[in-house]
Amino acid sequence: MSAAKRYLTLNSRDLRLELEELYAAYTACLDEERFEEWPEFFVEHCLYKIVPRENFERGLPLATWLCESKGYLADRVTAIRKTAVYAPRYVRRMVSGVRVLGWNDGMLEVRANYVALETLQDELTRVFNTGQYRDKLVVEDGRLKFKEKLCIFDSLLVPNSLIYPL
Amino acid sequence: MGTRHVWPREGVSRIPYWIYSDPEIYAREQERIFCGPSWNYVALEAELPRPGDFKRTFIGEKPVVVVRDEEDSINVVENRCAHRGVQFCQKHLGSVAEFMCPYHQWTYDLKGNLIGVPFRRGVKKQGGMPADFDLKNHGLRRLGVARRHGVIFASFASDLEPLEEYFGPSMLALFDRVFDGRELRVLGYSRQLTPANWKLMFENIKDPYHASLLHVFLVSFGLFRADQPSKVQMDATGRHGALISWRGDQKKTEDHADMKSLIDNFKLQDSTLLEPVREFPEYTVVMTTLWPNLIIQQQSNTLAMRQLVTRGPAAFELAWTYFGYADDDEDMTRRRLRQANLMGPAGFVSIDDSEVMKFSQSGVGPYPERAGVMEMGGRDWKDEQHMVTESVIRAFYAYYRRVMEL
Ligand code: FES
Ligand SMILES: [Fe+2]
C-alpha cells in the first residue's frame, strides 16, 4: 500500500497520533532553532501565513508574515540568520487540541491551538503569541507535509517584533 | 520644569536623554503636542464607508471614536461617557445607530449629542435628575475634524489652521501624491507594542543615515542605499519631514567599504517580494512624517499609515493600516501584500528598527543626565539632496523645543 493510501485508511485516532508526532517534531525543530530544517515540513508550493485574527475575521488579506513557497521559507531563515538585527531570545511553542476535520481535495484539514512563549534576557518569560493553526496537509515522500499553514493569532498587539516562525 | 530640564547649550545637535523617560515631560507632551494645536491622524474614510460605521482609536494616549453620521459628516468624539467617564466604545471597528454607554445607558447620537438618560424623571416620582438638567450640556466632547482625499485628522484644539496650511506646500504635494482623490481600499491591520519612547520612532524614520547601515536586507538588495539618488525635505517649521529616494545606477564605490553589512552574493530563492512596478512619478520610496502621530509609508508598492499611540514615556503602539486603491487589479493587490513583508512587526526591514528602538530606550532610559550627538550633515537643519544627514531629526527637535518650551 502506498503511503498516501495508508494515511487515507488510518482511523481518526491513529491519524491524530501521527499528527501529534508531526506537531511535536515541528515545534521541536523551531524551539531548538534548527531553522534550516523548518522548510522541510512543507511541500514546494505551499502557503505559510501569520495573520492577526481581526484581519482574518474581516476578510482582510494582509498577513503579518507571508510565504508563498518553500523557497520563501528558506529566505526567511536566511533573514533570521544573516540580515535581521535583534536581541537574543528563546521562543517555545505549545500545540494542543489537535482536531482532524477530514480529507478534502486530497488534503488533510487540521486545526490546533498554539501558544508561543518568549524569553528575553532581562525579562520574565511572557506569552508572546497565541492563536489557532488552520493547516492543510498532503502526503509527500511517504510523510505528511504542510501544503498550507495559517497561524491566526488572537494576541493582536505583537510585543515588538516577530522574528522566529510559529 | 525643574533645573534638570535644561537643554544642552549646543542646541539641537545634542538630544538630552531625559526627554525619553521623564514622566513630567511625557505629561507636558500629552498636553501641548497631542492635545495641543496639531492635526492628529485618526482614520481612513475607507474604514468607515457607511453612516453609523465607527473606528475606535487614540490621540496620544486619549481614547477617541471616529464615526460617520447620517449626513456623511465625520465626527470624532472622546471615548469617555459624559456621565462618569466610562470608555463606552470597546470595539476596534463596527457599525451602530447610536452609542450607548453600558454603565447607566446614557445614549448619544452619531454627532455625540446626549439623547437619552434612563430614569431622568425618577422612578415612582422618586429620584431623577434635577429639573434643570439639560441634555444639551452633557454631550460627548467633540474634536475638530479635517479630511483630505480620504484621510481623517482630528484635533483637541479649536481654532487650528486648515490642514493644507498645517502641512505646508511641500508636504501637501507629497501627501497628494499618494492620496490623489482615488478611493482607497484597506488591506489589513498590524499592531505592535514597542518598549521605547514615541520620539524614537520619529527619529528612526527621519534618519536616512541608519538605513544604509542597519538594514542589511535593504542594502543587499539595493532597495535603499546611501549611494542612491535621494533627498530629505521638511516644511517651514521643521515639524514634518520626508525621506525620498529613487532607483539609480548602483556602482561599486569606495563608500561600500563603509557599508560593512553589504552581502554581495545574497540572493533570494523567491524573489516575488522584490518585483515592484513603477506606480508613482519620480520616487520609489517616500517616508513622510507628519507631526505629531503619523508616518505615511510608500515603499515601492506597499502603502501604509503608521499611527503612533503613546503608552507612557517608555512604550508606544504602532498601528499599521495597509491600503491600496479601490481600482487596483489583482496583480497590484498581490504585489502590495507581498511587499508588506518588508514592514510591520515581522518585516524583513522593520524588525531591525523595532529591535534597535528597544535597545535605544534601554540605553537612554537609565542615563537621563547624558545626551546624544546629532551632527551628521551639520548642526542646523535644511533640505538636502542626499541621505547622509540627521537634518530632519534636528528639524523635528527644533520645533519640539518651541512647543515644549525647552
Ligand atoms: S458612566 Fe456612562 S452612563 Fe454612567
Ligand atoms: Fe529603519
Side-chain angles (χ1 to χ4, degrees):
Chain A
M1 193 166 27
S2 76
K5 278 240 181 65
R6 190 180 72 81
Y7 279 109
L8 274 171
T9 54
L10 281 182
N11 68 38
S12 69
R13 180 182 287 182
D14 289 344
L15 200 50
R16 234 193 51 223
L17 220 64
E18 293 257 354
L19 287 166
E20 296 275 4
E21 271 176 35
L22 173 70
Y23 284 107
Y26 179 86
T27 53
C29 164
L30 293 177
D31 294 355
E32 290 161 15
E33 299 178 11
R34 290 180 276 115
F35 298 125
E36 285 72 13
E37 295 169 32
W38 174 59
E40 292 313 313
F41 286 90
F42 295 79
V43 297
E44 194 60 47
H45 298 285
C46 60
L47 181 67
Y48 174 83
K49 283 209 259 190
I50 304 178
V51 184
R53 185 164 168 177
E54 62 177 340
N55 288 356
F56 184 75
E57 287 177 349
R58 281 177 200 287
L60 296 171
L62 180 81
T64 306
W65 176 317
L66 168 72
C67 291
E68 295 171 301
S69 68
K70 197 165 159 179
Y72 210 138
L73 298 171
D75 291 337
R76 275 286 179 176
V77 175
T78 310
I80 291 169
R81 295 287 194 216
K82 298 224 172 85
T83 68
V85 174
Y86 56 91
R89 67 200 57 214
Y90 299 125
V91 178
R92 189 165 299 280
R93 299 144 191 89
M94 312 281 164
V95 177
S96 82
V98 176
R99 275 189 304 141
V100 178
L101 301 193
W103 291 92
N104 223 328
D105 259 349
M107 288 185 284
L108 186 64
E109 280 191 53
V110 180
R111 302 275 157 88
N113 293 326
Y114 72 86
V115 179
L117 304 172
E118 182 180 65
T119 307
L120 298 165
Q121 292 193 100
D122 303 327
E123 294 165 35
L124 298 173
T125 300
R126 65 179 171 191
V127 174
F128 172 68
N129 193 286
T130 185
Q132 187 187 43
Y133 286 147
R134 301 168 78 96
D135 299 340
K136 291 183 181 161
L137 298 109
V138 293
V139 181
E140 193 186 80
D141 304 330
R143 65 181 183 108
L144 287 168
K145 291 191 176 186
F146 294 108
K147 168 78 182 157
E148 195 176 299
K149 186 170 191 61
L150 307 186
C151 316
I152 311 294
F153 64 95
D154 299 339
S155 28
L156 301 172
L157 202 53
V158 175
N160 213 25
S161 13
L162 173 56
I163 295 160
Y164 297 159
L166 296 171
Chain B
M1 297 279 135
T3 46
R4 69 181 190 279
H5 296 132
V6 179
W7 200 280
R9 60 186 156 67
E10 291 91 336
V12 290
S13 67
R14 292 291 179 281
I15 307 298
Y17 291 159
W18 42 260
I19 63 166
Y20 302 109
S21 53
D22 193 289
E24 264 179 62
I25 294 290
Y26 179 75
R28 193 191 268 215
E29 288 171 348
Q30 292 297 314
E31 188 188 309
R32 297 200 175 187
I33 298 175
F34 299 103
C35 296
S38 53
W39 284 117
N40 293 269
Y41 166 76
V42 286
L44 295 176
E45 288 200 36
E47 296 177 279
L48 8 139
R50 286 167 303 272
D53 290 352
F54 68 83
K55 177 188 178 184
R56 172 181 177 268
T57 185
F58 297 85
I59 293 179
E61 59 181 21
K62 292 199 169 1
V64 299
V65 181
V66 189
V67 59
R68 188 184 292 268
D69 67 27
E70 297 84 353
E71 289 149 26
D72 231 22
S73 331
I74 301 281
N75 306 303
V76 180
V77 294
E78 291 181 359
N79 190 356
R80 171 186 61 81
C81 179
H83 180 214
R84 297 230 307 264
V86 161
Q87 197 192 105
F88 57 90
C89 178
Q90 294 287 326
K91 270 175 73 183
H92 175 47
L93 289 166
S95 193
V96 287
E98 57 197 24
F99 289 108
M100 190 177 72
C101 174
Y103 204 0
H104 314 90
Q105 300 187 355
W106 283 29
T107 307
Y108 305 92
D109 69 13
L110 300 180
K111 291 190 188 301
N113 300 309
L114 180 61
I115 53 172
V117 173
F119 306 145
R120 187 175 163 199
R121 310 266 175 242
V123 176
K124 294 184 183 163
K125 301 209 170 104
Q126 294 180 73
M129 286 299 196
D132 63 352
F133 179 84
D134 189 347
L135 296 188
K136 278 202 293 297
N137 299 331
H138 300 279
L140 297 172
R141 184 163 171 227
R142 286 174 68 167
L143 280 71
V145 175
R147 297 151 78 168
R148 186 174 175 84
H149 298 170
V151 189
I152 308 167
F153 295 83
S155 178
F156 283 99
S158 37
D159 47 8
L160 194 51
E161 66 212 289
L163 195 64
E164 291 70 16
E165 268 170 51
Y166 177 81
F167 287 168
S170 60
M171 293 300 126
L172 187 65
L174 290 174
F175 181 90
D176 286 353
R177 187 171 170 272
V178 171
F179 304 101
D180 55 7
R182 266 185 293 169
E183 199 186 321
L184 305 178
R185 178 175 161 226
V186 174
L187 297 178
Y189 299 98
S190 202
R191 293 197 257 151
Q192 78 193 107
L193 186 67
T194 295
N197 184 271
W198 66 278
K199 296 186 292 299
L200 290 168
M201 180 73 253
F202 270 130
E203 284 186 23
N204 175 275
I205 213 81
K206 287 170 184 282
D207 169 17
Y209 175 27
H210 86 280
S212 310
L213 301 159
L214 171 68
H215 299 308
V216 182
F217 189 89
L218 278 187
V219 176
S220 303
F221 296 106
L223 294 174
F224 196 97
R225 264 157 62 159
D227 52 355
Q228 269 175 337
S230 57
K231 58 181 177 179
V232 298
Q233 270 183 7
M234 285 145 275
D235 74 320
T237 69
R239 61 188 167 186
H240 314 304
L243 271 51
I244 301 170
S245 77
W246 55 100
R247 286 195 100 134
D249 299 338
Q250 265 141 51
K251 293 181 222 85
K252 284 211 160 199
T253 63
E254 301 89 77
D255 306 333
H256 275 180
D258 275 343
M259 291 188 263
K260 290 189 194 63
S261 45
L262 191 70
I263 306 175
D264 272 327
N265 54 1
F266 177 34
K267 277 211 173 51
L268 286 180
Q269 295 194 28
D270 185 329
S271 59
T272 50
L273 173 68
L274 303 173
E275 288 162 3
V277 295
R278 171 167 285 275
E279 181 180 8
F280 300 100
E282 287 183 277
Y283 317 130
T284 28
V285 179
V286 180
M287 293 287 183
T288 312
T289 41
L290 295 176
W291 175 274
N293 77 333
L294 178 65
I295 297 156
I296 302 173
Q297 164 198 319
Q298 183 247 311
Q299 164 88 40
S300 298
N301 309 113
T302 173
L303 306 172
M305 302 305 237
R306 302 187 197 174
Q307 181 187 358
L308 259 160
V309 175
T310 59
R311 298 284 184 220
F316 68 86
E317 181 187 330
L318 199 56
W320 306 64
T321 307
Y322 286 82
F323 62 92
Y325 303 99
D327 61 5
D328 283 346
D329 61 17
E330 242 175 77
D331 286 345
M332 185 51 99
T333 302
R334 197 169 310 121
R335 220 171 271 130
R336 298 199 199 289
L337 293 169
R338 281 177 175 158
Q339 292 171 29
N341 266 275
L342 291 171
M343 303 296 173
F348 278 112
V349 177
S350 51
I351 279 176
D352 305 341
D353 292 316
S354 42
E355 288 292 300
V356 152
M357 283 187 277
K358 182 180 178 183
F359 302 167
S360 293
Q361 188 69 29
S362 53
V364 299
Y367 288 104
E369 72 282 14
R370 303 284 178 219
V373 185
M374 197 85 74
E375 297 195 357
M376 186 52 88
R379 297 192 178 93
D380 55 353
W381 59 273
K382 57 181 185 323
D383 292 359
E384 299 285 3
Q385 298 295 320
H386 60 83
M387 60 172 94
V388 204
T389 181
E390 290 166 319
S391 187
V392 197
I393 315 178
R394 287 189 292 270
F396 172 84
Y397 280 116
Y399 187 71
Y400 176 86
R401 290 185 64 187
R402 267 168 54 196
V403 175
M404 293 286 287
E405 289 181 85
L406 288 171

